[in-house]
Amino acid sequence: MQGPVVIIGAGQAGVQIADSLRQEGYEGQIFLVGEETYGPYQRPPLSKDYLAGVVTQQQLMLRTPDMLARKNIELITGVAVVSIDPAGRRVHLADGRVLAYEGLAFATGCRARPLPTSATVAEGVMTLRGIDDTRRISESLEKATNVVVIGGGFIGLEVAGTARGFGKKVTVLEGADRLMARAVSPVVSEYFLKAHRERGVDIVLGTKVTGLKGERGHVTGVETLGGKTYPADVVIVGIGIIPNTELAQSIGAHCEGGIVVDDCARTSLPGVMAAGDCTVRRTASGMLRLESVQNAVEQGKSAAAALMGKERPFVACPWFWSDQFDLKLQMAGLSAGYDQVVMRGSTEQNAFTAFYFRDGKLLGSDSLNHPREHMATRRMLDKKVGPTPEQAADPAFNFQTLLK
Ligand SMILES: Cc1cc2nc3c(=O)[nH]c(=O)nc-3n(C[C@H](O)[C@H](O)[C@H](O)COP(=O)(O)OP(=O)(O)OC[C@H]3O[C@@H](n4cnc5c(N)ncnc54)[C@H](O)[C@@H]3O)c2cc1C
């Protein structure tokens, strides 16, 4: 390929595709188009250290404009791609510009799912996806007394922890009967429930938000089924995401809860790749959605290789992390479908790993302040080796013996 490549979305996956194209030896034009006014930046600190004021906006940036310019990557920010003409191989930007392409990649990420009831009371009700959202939340928190977080998933709990660190009265309302239920096992949910409550966060499980109360357009409370109202000056909604698939769909790419890609980040359309949060990966055991930095980076590398006509499958062990208060949770592998949980370390000492097995085979682990066990799981799963449940439970057993 020699003609221009257009990458739609200048986030973690988009910038990786651009960088990897250069590493693959591609010398043609690269356009990296993002609708946000910022260049590529990291999102994980948005609910953690950036919200807490510990890191600056500058420190969020993945690449400076200079770094991109040195690689001859043309960054266009503050402008959305509004339509694509696949027959003419052109993308149309919101400001009227038209870019011709030979290679096309979607890295459009996703958007926060809004609360259906929020339309009635706008002020003070926020979701968190970008820098501007964190800024708005941060400003509102300064004046707030009562903070209600709707959703006890990773983002909701991270924001709850940070807001509690500011001394706010924080309530988390979760619909399921345990925290982070989609991602971790009951033992880990239980640990985090206790940890949040011990640090003063009020957590309500198995509840359903039915509406918002407000005065003069500003939220004053969150109503739940059963008639209880939780007072709120600020409401942060963390109830999941919606992948940005509309553009890909408009040109006929197969989408099913994300742009469907194979292990090499190829969509159903020849020569069109997709990477990151906007994708869902077709695997032998069904469609796999991963919303993580690792996935964006690895699929970005695969997409660049695929644009160059090469196969670079992303099949490494998935991993993810979440920081809540001083607690570092690290997840490795895919534990869905486990039939046995084996613990190493202890919840009392705030350092443990829950290893998940099916039919005696290691599927993954969740580690709390246990980085060695987390890394060992990743390496074992990548090497397709694993301990027995007895070995995993035995703190004297060294996983390195399996990794030699
Ligand atoms: C608050 C928060 C905390 C997180 N914490 C963690 C964590 O601890 N660990 C972890 O692994 N992951 C975490 N994540 C997830 C991680 O940040 C994402 O998986 C990663 O950013 C995905 O990268 P992406 O490039 O696919 O999407 P994004 O980074 O979202 O980038 C997509 C970009 O495309 C742009 N775009 C969309 N449509 C268009 C268009 N039509 N034209 C132009 N531009 C467009 C968007 O504006 C956006 O800038 C967190 C995410 C959030 C929001």
Side-chain angles (χ1 to χ4, degrees):
M1 184 181 55
Q2 282 162 356
V5 175
V6 173
I7 302 163
I8 310 175
Q12 186 93 49
V15 78
Q16 187 63 53
I17 299 172
D19 249 1
S20 297
L21 273 171
R22 289 291 179 239
Q23 272 157 26
E24 295 279 349
Y26 175 68
E27 291 178 350
Q29 270 185 303
I30 302 176
F31 295 101
L32 181 60
V33 189
E35 67 186 344
E36 289 184 86
T37 49
Y38 311 99
Y41 64 89
Q42 323 167 49
R43 290 180 203 274
L46 296 181
S47 48
K48 311 176 180 78
D49 285 352
Y50 184 57
L51 182 61
V54 177
V55 304
T56 63
Q57 189 179 312
Q58 200 55 39
Q59 288 170 310
L60 297 180
M61 296 300 150
L62 287 164
R63 310 282 188 282
T64 61
D66 266 8
M67 286 161 86
L68 294 172
R70 275 200 297 276
K71 292 185 178 170
N72 207 10
I73 295 166
E74 197 163 323
L75 175 67
I76 301 174
T77 54
V79 190
V81 171
V82 287
S83 64
I84 303 167
D85 163 16
R89 289 182 170 259
R90 285 182 164 75
V91 304
H92 295 258
L93 309 192
D95 62 3
R97 266 182 282 178
V98 179
L99 303 174
Y101 67 82
E102 186 178 340
L104 183 66
F106 290 94
T108 46
C110 56
R111 54 191 182 271
R113 184 178 292 281
L115 194 66
T117 48
S118 64
T120 47
V121 193
E123 280 283 298
V125 182
M126 286 162 268
T127 53
L128 173 47
R129 181 72 200 171
I131 287 181
D132 294 337
D133 300 326
T134 300
R135 285 221 186 115
R136 267 193 295 274
I137 292 172
S138 179
E139 275 168 29
S140 308
L141 284 180
E142 271 175 33
K143 296 167 259 166
T145 308
N146 294 302
V147 178
V148 172
V149 176
I150 302 177
F154 295 117
I155 292 182
L157 291 174
E158 288 174 3
V159 172
T162 308
R164 185 68 197 132
F166 292 142
K168 306 297 168 185
K169 181 170 175 351
V170 182
T171 306
V172 176
L173 304 176
E174 166 57 46
D177 59 0
R178 61 187 184 87
L179 297 173
M180 304 176 282
R182 275 194 311 139
V184 302
S185 64
V187 64
V188 179
S189 298
E190 201 51 42
Y191 174 84
F192 274 89
L193 177 66
K194 193 162 166 267
H196 275 265
R197 284 183 173 159
E198 278 172 0
R199 288 161 176 81
V201 177
D202 184 15
I203 297 203
V204 186
L205 298 172
T207 188
K208 187 171 170 13
V209 171
T210 52
L212 300 170
K213 280 198 159 170
E215 269 174 33
R216 279 172 269 126
H218 196 286
V219 72
T220 57
V222 180
E223 297 173 316
T224 56
L225 202 66
K228 184 155 181 167
T229 300
Y230 295 87
D233 319 296
V234 175
V235 174
I236 295 141
V237 181
I239 55 168
I241 54 90
I242 301 171
N244 294 324
T245 58
E246 290 80 355
L247 268 180
Q249 258 168 317
S250 77
I251 59 166
H254 179 201
C255 294
E256 225 178 290
I259 305 170
V260 178
V261 293
D262 63 8
D263 287 342
C264 295
R266 295 176 290 214
T267 70
S268 61
L269 302 175
V272 181
M273 315 307 155
D277 283 10
C278 63
T279 68
V280 51
R281 185 155 34 117
R282 189 189 294 285
T283 70
S285 47
M287 293 295 188
L288 177 63
R289 256 208 80 74
L290 296 171
E291 295 149 39
S292 69
V293 167
Q294 179 215 17
N295 184 58
V297 168
E298 293 302 324
Q299 279 190 327
K301 292 177 186 172
S302 299
L307 284 164
M308 300 293 284
K310 299 180 200 165
E311 292 206 343
R312 182 210 174 268
F314 163 42
V315 286
C317 158
W319 53 266
F320 188 82
W321 77 94
S322 175
D323 300 331
Q324 299 170 33
F325 301 104
D326 54 340
L327 308 171
K328 186 162 206 72
L329 174 63
Q330 292 173 293
M331 289 144 277
L334 298 169
S335 55
Y338 66 87
D339 59 19
Q340 190 180 4
V341 186
V342 167
M343 296 293 285
R344 182 184 281 211
S346 82
T347 52
E348 288 75 32
Q349 284 166 5
N350 302 310
F352 66 85
T353 296
F355 291 97
Y356 302 100
F357 288 86
R358 185 170 57 219
D359 299 331
K361 189 169 171 257
L362 181 68
L363 296 180
S365 68
D366 295 334
S367 301
L368 191 280
N369 299 338
H370 238 200
R372 262 205 324 224
E373 284 71 7
H374 168 74
M375 282 311 298
T377 306
R378 279 166 55 178
R379 293 185 56 212
M380 289 189 290
L381 291 175
D382 280 344
K383 281 194 90 173
K384 304 203 184 327
V385 297
T388 64
E390 295 70 32
Q391 289 169 331
D394 177 4
F397 180 77
N398 188 346
F399 296 120
Q400 296 308 319
T401 56
L402 300 173
L403 288 165
K404 279 182 191 143

